[in-house]
Amino acid sequence: MSDEKMTAPVEAKPEKKKIILSGIQPTGIFTLGNYIGAVRNWGQLQEDYNCYYFVADLHSLTIRQDPADLRKQSLEAFALLLAAGIDPEKSLVFIQSHVRSHAELGWILACNSMFGELSRMTQFKDKAAKHADNVNAGLFTYPSLMAADILLYQADYVPVGADQTQHLEFTRNVANRFNGIYGNVFKLPEAFLPKEGAKIMSLQDPAKKMSKSDPNPKSRISILDDEDTIMRKFRSAVTDSEAHVCYRDDKPGINNLMTIYSVVTGKTYGQIEAEFEGKGYGDFKTAVGEAVSEELRPIRENFARLIGDKAYLEETYKMGAERAERISGRTLAKVRKKIGLLANPF
């Protein structure tokens, strides 16, 4: 028998999961567009990533809010995230204003953001035009707060739609600038783009994105709409006079409905075209409505249960805030030290 010592094989450490972070504003019940473009994917991502999701209530303050409505909508938004499948045991779920690191780093990054780059932000121009009577400083500097939201958690990826890529690029620029001046502190996040259904359009004007703020309620599906309401809205959706279900550049209304149906059912455009060959738009709209209603049914049921249990919601968002404060606090402490602030005595 050999005198050589037997050594156990060294097991490879499991690869650390990448971090994905995203937030959603509490400015009303999520639309089908919010769900397909963002929230639906969030629930699926939590199996493969460390996911951090939050209700971005501070961002909603750039538009004057009714205080009672904001409190109600923030709680509803938090409940909707859970109802849509985000598990607080798997993902970090919290409310932005409960974590003070966001506002503090937002100010520090505002001091490292250039006036010119902020003034070029498309959403600032759009919102300033819509709210000409309230073009406040927060509306101008909110990309710095958005950058803080991301950089505090050293996020690897940020799920973004086509209209959010500019904000992510801004975040990367500010992080690069800070790292170049003070030394490496921030990880540079990358865009996480869903393969399909990233942008769902209005049912009444398919040239515009489906929006919670659209004054026409027929333009959008709320994820809490009941089945009758969903069916009614899809039946009144704008299409064209051709009555042929196919995906083509000159058919934006049908393209939008096909995108929705494809995402919800998993069918390809080719399969959808074959399914409705020889059938009219009425049959197609009914099928889309039924598929969407069935997709949203468990969310409606879960939300009704959760919103009736305020104690559970409060316990859950408190737990999320405490964990988020610990994680973000580590990054904020490094930033404070780098820029020369005295250590916080509290």
Side-chain angles (χ1 to χ4, degrees), residues 130-183:
K130 288 180 182 176
H131 303 279
D133 61 333
N134 185 27
V135 185
N136 56 71
L139 188 64
F140 187 70
T141 62
Y142 83 97
S144 301
L145 178 57
M146 187 178 291
D149 298 333
I150 298 166
L151 298 175
L152 274 169
Y153 300 93
Q154 305 292 349
D156 295 285
Y157 300 111
V158 180
V160 293
D163 59 344
Q164 291 290 324
T165 54
Q166 188 184 34
H167 287 109
L168 183 61
E169 192 58 35
F170 172 86
T171 297
R172 290 172 58 88
N173 288 342
V174 172
N176 250 326
R177 182 178 300 127
F178 190 96
N179 288 347
I181 297 170
Y182 298 106

Side-chain angles (χ1 to χ4, degrees), residues 295-311:
E295 172 81 10
L296 299 181
R297 184 185 306 281
I299 298 175
R300 293 195 299 270
E301 294 173 351
N302 288 339
F303 178 80
R305 173 178 52 81
L306 287 164
I307 205 64
D309 191 348
K310 298 292 195 299

Side-chain angles (χ1 to χ4, degrees), residues 16 70 77 89 124 130 139 143 177 179 225 228 231 244 267 276 278 288 318 332:
K16 189 176 180 181
L70 180 57
E89 297 296 324
F124 168 70
K130 288 180 182 176
L139 188 64
R177 182 178 300 127
N179 288 347
D225 280 344
D228 288 343
M231 297 304 297
H244 179 211
K267 296 177 181 178
F276 293 96
V288 177
K318 181 181 178 183
L332 184 60

